Amino acid sequence: MPESSPSASVPSTPAAGAPAAYREKLWPNAWIWIIAAGVSAAGILVFAPISMAAGYTAAAVLFIIIAVLLVLSTPAITVTEDSLTVGRATIERRFIGEVKQFRSEEATAERGTRLNGLAYLCIRGWIDPVVRIEITDPADRTPYWLASTRHPDQLTAALTRR
């Protein structure tokens, strides 16, 4: 069977040595951590009838589990000269079309009533602004990516700069 020629594909993550034009981690806000502490405090209520030590231990273990899950599930946005990575998805910059940013009610509409069911989403409820990145790859059915960002101006500038 003949081997196919190697295609110039983009790796699933940006190269470690590639300089990033833009980089952002979508860390949870302070109120998410307060909610995590409140939920973990429920461990005290559950185990207090057994013993207070068991309750405090359960609360600490629950908080550690929630904190690890929050940290591990925090996506990153990275723009390099050749590629864009949003969360777990990577695309070559040559397939990026129009880039628009939205805030407040417009951002809510983009995440809701105007959302295309085929769009790739990397949105976080605790971050209001979103950026819509048009995908021009004819082999990709995804019309656009919608990503939350705390710095939509900087992300848009990095993506439109060639």
Side-chain angles (χ1 to χ4, degrees):
M1 190 179 326
E3 285 187 27
S4 61
S5 63
S7 63
S9 65
V10 175
S12 61
T13 58
Y22 179 82
R23 184 168 295 173
E24 176 182 10
K25 289 281 275 182
L26 304 178
W27 295 108
N29 283 351
W31 64 269
I32 295 294
W33 293 105
I34 292 169
I35 290 172
V39 168
S40 62
I44 297 171
L45 298 174
V46 171
F47 288 97
I50 299 170
S51 85
M52 286 306 286
Y56 290 129
T57 303
V61 169
L62 280 173
F63 185 77
I64 290 169
I65 291 170
I66 292 170
V68 167
L69 291 175
L70 281 172
V71 169
L72 290 178
S73 67
T74 299
I77 300 173
T78 305
V79 178
T80 65
E81 184 179 320
D82 301 324
S83 66
L84 165 67
T85 301
V86 177
R88 293 183 288 164
T90 299
I91 192 165
E92 293 179 51
R93 296 249 332 246
R94 64 187 174 112
F95 294 122
I96 294 175
E98 184 180 23
V99 179
K100 288 186 177 179
Q101 55 181 291
F102 302 92
R103 297 174 191 266
S104 303
E105 294 85 25
E106 289 292 312
T108 302
E110 286 298 316
R111 289 186 296 259
T113 56
R114 286 190 236 150
L115 182 65
N116 184 322
L118 295 175
Y120 171 75
L121 303 177
C122 184
I123 54 177
R124 296 296 181 256
W126 52 82
I127 302 174
D128 178 59
V130 294
V131 172
R132 185 174 68 198
I133 304 157
E134 179 187 20
I135 305 300
T136 60
D137 184 357
D140 191 348
R141 291 183 25 186
T142 306
Y144 61 88
W145 290 7
L146 190 65
S148 294
T149 177
R150 287 189 173 92
H151 311 287
D153 296 327
Q154 293 174 21
L155 177 57
T156 302
L159 288 172
T160 56
R161 195 178 315 132
R162 292 289 173 181

